[in-house]
Amino acid sequence: MIFAARALARGDTTILEEERVNMKMMSERRAGKLGMAAIAAAFAVVLCAPAQALNLVTNGSFETGSFSGWTQVGNTGFSGVQCPGPGPTVADGNCSAFFGPVGSTGGISQTLSLVVGNHYLLTFAWRPDGGTPSSFSASIGGATVVNVSNPPASGFQTVSFGIVATAANESLTFLFRDDPGFMFLDAVSVGVPEPASTGLLGIALVAMFAGLRRKFR
Protein backbone atom coordinates (compact mmCIF):
# COMPACT_ATOMS: atom_id res chain seq x y z
CA MET A 1 0.00 0.00 0.00
CA ILE A 2 2.94 2.38 0.69
CA PHE A 3 4.29 1.66 -2.78
CA ALA A 4 0.84 2.28 -4.24
CA ALA A 5 0.57 5.65 -2.46
CA ARG A 6 3.97 6.73 -3.73
CA ALA A 7 3.13 5.57 -7.24
CA LEU A 8 -0.15 7.48 -7.12
CA ALA A 9 1.71 10.61 -6.05
CA ARG A 10 4.07 10.21 -9.01
CA GLY A 11 1.31 9.19 -11.39
CA ASP A 12 3.08 5.87 -12.12
CA THR A 13 0.25 3.62 -13.38
CA THR A 14 2.56 0.67 -14.08
CA ILE A 15 3.46 0.28 -10.40
CA LEU A 16 -0.20 0.66 -9.46
CA GLU A 17 -1.16 -2.17 -11.81
CA GLU A 18 1.59 -4.40 -10.41
CA GLU A 19 0.37 -3.70 -6.88
CA ARG A 20 -3.18 -4.68 -7.85
CA VAL A 21 -1.93 -7.95 -9.37
CA ASN A 22 0.13 -8.74 -6.26
CA MET A 23 -2.83 -8.07 -3.96
CA LYS A 24 -5.09 -10.29 -6.08
CA MET A 25 -2.55 -13.14 -6.01
CA MET A 26 -2.23 -12.87 -2.22
CA SER A 27 -6.01 -12.97 -1.86
CA GLU A 28 -6.25 -16.07 -4.07
CA ARG A 29 -3.52 -17.81 -2.07
CA ARG A 30 -5.39 -17.12 1.18
CA ALA A 31 -8.63 -18.40 -0.36
CA GLY A 32 -6.86 -21.52 -1.60
CA LYS A 33 -5.42 -22.23 1.85
CA LEU A 34 -8.84 -21.79 3.44
CA GLY A 35 -10.35 -24.09 0.84
CA MET A 36 -7.77 -26.81 1.49
CA ALA A 37 -8.30 -26.43 5.24
CA ALA A 38 -12.03 -26.93 4.72
CA ILE A 39 -11.34 -30.03 2.62
CA ALA A 40 -9.06 -31.50 5.30
CA ALA A 41 -11.61 -30.81 8.02
CA ALA A 42 -14.44 -32.34 6.00
CA PHE A 43 -12.46 -35.51 5.26
CA ALA A 44 -11.42 -35.76 8.91
CA VAL A 45 -15.08 -35.75 9.90
CA VAL A 46 -15.84 -38.42 7.29
CA LEU A 47 -13.02 -40.66 8.44
CA CYS A 48 -13.93 -40.26 12.10
CA ALA A 49 -17.66 -40.84 11.63
CA PRO A 50 -18.51 -44.31 12.96
CA ALA A 51 -20.24 -46.65 10.54
CA GLN A 52 -23.67 -47.57 11.78
CA ALA A 53 -25.16 -51.01 11.34
CA LEU A 54 -28.76 -52.17 11.21
CA ASN A 55 -29.31 -55.40 13.16
CA LEU A 56 -31.66 -57.67 11.23
CA VAL A 57 -32.02 -60.06 14.18
CA THR A 58 -35.07 -59.63 16.39
CA ASN A 59 -34.35 -59.78 20.12
CA GLY A 60 -30.71 -60.66 19.53
CA SER A 61 -29.71 -59.84 23.11
CA PHE A 62 -32.84 -61.41 24.64
CA GLU A 63 -33.68 -58.18 26.44
CA THR A 64 -37.39 -59.03 26.23
CA GLY A 65 -36.72 -61.67 28.89
CA SER A 66 -37.98 -64.39 26.57
CA PHE A 67 -37.36 -66.10 23.23
CA SER A 68 -39.71 -63.70 21.43
CA GLY A 69 -38.68 -63.41 17.79
CA TRP A 70 -37.08 -66.86 17.96
CA THR A 71 -38.42 -70.40 17.52
CA GLN A 72 -37.19 -73.13 19.83
CA VAL A 73 -36.06 -76.24 17.97
CA GLY A 74 -35.00 -79.77 18.89
CA ASN A 75 -34.60 -80.67 22.54
CA THR A 76 -35.98 -77.66 24.42
CA GLY A 77 -35.27 -79.02 27.90
CA PHE A 78 -33.28 -76.93 30.37
CA SER A 79 -33.30 -73.89 28.08
CA GLY A 80 -34.57 -70.37 28.61
CA VAL A 81 -33.73 -66.70 29.12
CA GLN A 82 -32.33 -65.17 32.29
CA CYS A 83 -32.04 -61.50 33.22
CA PRO A 84 -29.66 -61.17 36.19
CA GLY A 85 -28.17 -57.92 34.95
CA PRO A 86 -24.55 -57.37 33.90
CA GLY A 87 -22.30 -60.21 35.00
CA PRO A 88 -20.28 -63.23 33.88
CA THR A 89 -23.25 -64.92 32.17
CA VAL A 90 -24.43 -61.80 30.28
CA ALA A 91 -22.46 -60.34 27.39
CA ASP A 92 -24.75 -57.45 26.45
CA GLY A 93 -27.43 -55.62 28.40
CA ASN A 94 -29.17 -57.41 31.27
CA CYS A 95 -30.27 -60.73 29.77
CA SER A 96 -28.90 -63.78 27.98
CA ALA A 97 -30.14 -67.17 26.79
CA PHE A 98 -29.04 -70.41 28.47
CA PHE A 99 -29.09 -73.93 27.05
CA GLY A 100 -28.56 -77.30 28.72
CA PRO A 101 -30.30 -80.00 26.65
CA VAL A 102 -29.44 -83.50 27.85
CA GLY A 103 -28.81 -86.40 25.47
CA SER A 104 -29.53 -84.51 22.23
CA THR A 105 -29.24 -81.06 20.73
CA GLY A 106 -31.71 -78.23 20.93
CA GLY A 107 -31.68 -74.50 20.49
CA ILE A 108 -33.27 -71.59 18.68
CA SER A 109 -33.82 -70.44 15.11
CA GLN A 110 -34.94 -67.25 13.37
CA THR A 111 -35.71 -66.55 9.72
CA LEU A 112 -34.08 -63.38 8.38
CA SER A 113 -35.10 -61.32 5.36
CA LEU A 114 -31.98 -60.69 3.28
CA VAL A 115 -31.10 -59.43 -0.19
CA VAL A 116 -29.61 -62.09 -2.45
CA GLY A 117 -25.99 -61.31 -3.25
CA ASN A 118 -25.56 -58.77 -0.45
CA HIS A 119 -22.82 -59.11 2.15
CA TYR A 120 -23.68 -59.35 5.84
CA LEU A 121 -21.79 -59.75 9.10
CA LEU A 122 -22.98 -62.37 11.59
CA THR A 123 -21.80 -61.74 15.15
CA PHE A 124 -22.66 -63.44 18.43
CA ALA A 125 -21.25 -64.14 21.88
CA TRP A 126 -21.37 -67.59 23.49
CA ARG A 127 -20.00 -69.01 26.72
CA PRO A 128 -19.24 -72.73 27.24
CA ASP A 129 -18.88 -74.20 30.73
CA GLY A 130 -16.49 -77.03 29.86
CA GLY A 131 -18.92 -79.84 30.68
CA THR A 132 -18.90 -83.15 28.78
CA PRO A 133 -20.58 -84.35 26.74
CA SER A 134 -21.46 -81.04 25.12
CA SER A 135 -21.60 -79.45 21.69
CA PHE A 136 -22.38 -76.15 20.00
CA SER A 137 -23.11 -75.22 16.41
CA ALA A 138 -24.21 -72.11 14.55
CA SER A 139 -25.50 -71.99 10.99
CA ILE A 140 -27.14 -69.56 8.61
CA GLY A 141 -28.86 -70.47 5.38
CA GLY A 142 -27.93 -74.11 5.95
CA ALA A 143 -24.20 -73.30 6.03
CA THR A 144 -22.50 -74.19 9.31
CA VAL A 145 -20.13 -71.50 10.59
CA VAL A 146 -19.29 -73.08 13.97
CA ASN A 147 -19.41 -76.74 15.04
CA VAL A 148 -17.52 -77.78 18.17
CA SER A 149 -17.71 -80.73 20.56
CA ASN A 150 -16.80 -80.58 24.25
CA PRO A 151 -15.49 -76.99 24.13
CA PRO A 152 -13.37 -76.00 27.15
CA ALA A 153 -14.74 -73.62 29.74
CA SER A 154 -14.24 -69.93 29.01
CA GLY A 155 -15.79 -66.54 29.34
CA PHE A 156 -17.89 -65.14 26.52
CA GLN A 157 -16.31 -65.60 23.11
CA THR A 158 -17.44 -63.04 20.54
CA VAL A 159 -17.14 -64.35 17.00
CA SER A 160 -17.96 -62.79 13.64
CA PHE A 161 -18.40 -64.24 10.16
CA GLY A 162 -18.88 -62.53 6.83
CA ILE A 163 -21.64 -64.09 4.75
CA VAL A 164 -23.25 -63.57 1.35
CA ALA A 165 -27.00 -64.12 1.10
CA THR A 166 -28.00 -66.83 -1.35
CA ALA A 167 -31.73 -66.60 -0.67
CA ALA A 168 -34.21 -63.92 0.34
CA ASN A 169 -35.11 -65.81 3.52
CA GLU A 170 -32.32 -67.46 5.49
CA SER A 171 -32.61 -69.33 8.79
CA LEU A 172 -30.17 -68.47 11.56
CA THR A 173 -29.90 -71.44 13.93
CA PHE A 174 -27.99 -72.18 17.14
CA LEU A 175 -27.89 -75.73 18.54
CA PHE A 176 -26.57 -76.82 21.93
CA ARG A 177 -26.04 -79.87 24.06
CA ASP A 178 -24.66 -79.67 27.59
CA ASP A 179 -25.53 -82.70 29.70
CA PRO A 180 -23.94 -81.57 33.00
CA GLY A 181 -24.45 -77.81 32.77
CA PHE A 182 -25.34 -74.83 30.62
CA MET A 183 -24.01 -72.76 27.74
CA PHE A 184 -24.96 -69.13 27.25
CA LEU A 185 -25.73 -67.10 24.11
CA ASP A 186 -26.03 -63.33 23.78
CA ALA A 187 -25.54 -60.30 21.50
CA VAL A 188 -26.64 -61.98 18.27
CA SER A 189 -26.62 -59.70 15.24
CA VAL A 190 -26.61 -59.80 11.46
CA GLY A 191 -25.47 -56.38 10.39
CA VAL A 192 -25.74 -54.38 7.21
CA PRO A 193 -23.20 -51.52 7.13
CA GLU A 194 -25.02 -48.25 6.50
CA PRO A 195 -23.43 -45.37 4.53
CA ALA A 196 -23.58 -43.09 7.57
CA SER A 197 -20.79 -40.93 6.24
CA THR A 198 -22.10 -40.61 2.67
CA GLY A 199 -23.53 -37.15 3.30
CA LEU A 200 -20.31 -35.98 4.93
CA LEU A 201 -18.30 -37.36 2.03
CA GLY A 202 -20.48 -35.34 -0.33
CA ILE A 203 -19.72 -32.20 1.68
CA ALA A 204 -16.00 -32.99 1.49
CA LEU A 205 -16.14 -33.42 -2.28
CA VAL A 206 -18.01 -30.13 -2.69
CA ALA A 207 -15.39 -28.43 -0.52
CA MET A 208 -12.62 -29.97 -2.63
CA PHE A 209 -14.21 -28.77 -5.86
CA ALA A 210 -14.71 -25.27 -4.48
CA GLY A 211 -11.14 -25.13 -3.20
CA LEU A 212 -9.65 -26.28 -6.49
CA ARG A 213 -11.85 -23.88 -8.42
CA ARG A 214 -10.64 -20.95 -6.32
CA LYS A 215 -7.05 -22.10 -6.66
CA PHE A 216 -7.00 -22.34 -10.44
CA ARG A 217 -9.44 -19.58 -11.34
Side-chain angles (χ1 to χ4, degrees), residues 74-100:
N75 184 349
T76 60
F78 301 101
S79 300
V81 174
Q82 58 154 9
C83 296
T89 60
V90 174
D92 179 55
N94 296 302
C95 304
S96 66
F98 62 88
F99 302 88

Side-chain angles (χ1 to χ4, degrees), residues 46-135:
V46 171
L47 293 175
C48 293
Q52 301 296 319
L54 173 66
N55 187 6
L56 301 179
V57 176
T58 299
N59 193 26
S61 291
F62 309 100
E63 293 301 297
T64 62
S66 69
F67 282 128
S68 61
W70 297 90
T71 299
Q72 289 188 267
V73 296
N75 184 349
T76 60
F78 301 101
S79 300
V81 174
Q82 58 154 9
C83 296
T89 60
V90 174
D92 179 55
N94 296 302
C95 304
S96 66
F98 62 88
F99 302 88
V102 176
S104 60
T105 61
I108 54 176
S109 181
Q110 184 174 144
T111 300
L112 307 178
S113 296
L114 308 177
V115 177
V116 176
N118 276 14
H119 292 256
Y120 298 88
L121 183 67
L122 166 62
T123 302
F124 58 86
W126 70 290
R127 183 180 187 273
D129 67 350
T132 58
S134 64
S135 64

